[in-house]
Amino acid sequence: MHDATLVFDLDGTLIDTAPDLAAATNHVMARLGLAAVDERDIRPWVGHGALKMIEQAARAHGRILTEPELYDLFEIFILYYSDHIAVSSRPYDGVIAALDGFMADGAALAVCTNKLERHARQVICELGLAKYFTVITGRDSLGVYKPDPGHLTGTIARAGGKPERAVMIGDSETDIKTAKAARIPVVAVTFGYSVEPVATFAPDVTIDHYSELSASVGRLLNRPA
């Protein structure tokens, strides 16, 4: 895999960030005078961004927010989340071993996330994962973001990789749409934040644990063109 580039989504793929994102969302609910929403009810919206999490949490209380209200609350969310970004977030089981293996094999590793780049870097650094990734791109890094294929192909280019030797790893319909549009094979993890079973969106491979990833990537990289 010495010439391979592996591009990972972040939330729901590498790191279970939902507890801290839910806490930030519920901080916003408290500012509205509303009760906390169960983390399990917020998880399905994590992949859709903070605005959607805030909107849906308020909607659960029967509160419909205007666009100006949403953007004002987004600023409150961002300030709180920046200060509490890695309180309870943790890498998924098997992530460290998998990344160590890929690094030892000489693969280039990158992150392509719709999180703001500074937040992606912050959580990756605080959890001790920064040494693994040559490139981290967020929704504000390249002028486009997933599902625009340019976010993925631009990440691969920044990593010095070739599309024909790249694989995307994600957890959502957005990740799969992005990879398909970029003509990059995609592995989907089944334990992320997808509302529907991720296999519904026809990734090339699904895995239930990171111990399955190396073999899956190897098969995708070595399959006939």
Side-chain angles (χ1 to χ4, degrees):
M1 291 188 194
H2 68 280
D3 62 342
T5 303
L6 309 184
V7 182
F8 294 82
D9 172 55
L10 185 60
D11 302 84
T13 299
L14 282 171
I15 302 171
D16 183 7
T17 53
D20 293 321
L21 289 165
T25 303
N26 281 323
H27 174 74
V28 171
M29 293 302 100
R31 291 290 290 268
L32 289 171
L34 300 174
V37 177
D38 193 292
E39 180 190 316
R40 290 171 295 182
D41 295 326
I42 292 174
R43 277 180 173 263
W45 303 105
V46 167
H48 298 274
L51 288 170
K52 182 61 73 171
M53 285 187 287
I54 296 166
E55 180 184 33
Q56 292 300 321
R59 192 180 293 271
H61 291 292
R63 178 80 177 267
I64 306 300
L65 299 171
T66 66
E67 189 169 310
E69 284 178 318
L70 265 176
Y71 281 95
D72 287 345
L73 293 169
F74 176 74
E75 295 302 322
I76 295 169
F77 176 101
I78 289 296
L79 288 172
Y80 182 91
Y81 185 59
S82 296
D83 290 338
H84 302 83
I85 201 166
V87 174
S88 301
S89 296
R90 296 292 180 269
Y92 284 103
D93 188 46
V95 163
I96 301 299
L99 297 179
D100 281 335
F102 289 130
M103 276 193 73
D105 288 341
L109 306 178
V111 170
C112 176
T113 174
N114 277 352
K115 220 178 186 68
L116 293 172
E117 182 180 331
R118 70 178 187 273
H119 284 157
R121 290 185 178 278
Q122 185 181 350
V123 71
I124 286 168
C125 287
E126 290 198 25
L127 294 177
L129 302 179
K131 65 181 181 181
Y132 293 108
F133 301 105
T134 56
V135 171
I136 298 168
T137 62
R139 70 183 295 119
D140 54 339
S141 303
L142 297 172
V144 293
Y145 55 87
K146 298 181 293 184
D148 190 304
H151 192 180
L152 176 54
T153 56
T155 302
I156 295 167
R158 282 195 178 185
K162 300 176 181 178
E164 63 270 20
R165 293 291 294 166
V167 176
M168 172 81 186
I169 300 96
D171 74 307
S172 69
E173 181 182 13
T174 297
D175 295 321
I176 295 165
K177 281 183 173 180
T178 304
K180 286 179 179 291
R183 300 177 181 266
I184 304 295
V186 57
V187 176
V189 302
T190 60
F191 44 77
Y193 303 144
S194 180
V195 178
E196 302 294 331
V198 76
T200 305
F201 308 114
D204 294 281
V205 180
T206 59
I207 60 169
D208 300 321
H209 189 274
Y210 265 89
S211 59
E212 303 169 59
L213 183 57
S214 181
S216 298
V217 166
R219 287 194 298 272
L220 291 173
L221 289 173
N222 293 314
R223 68 184 181 179

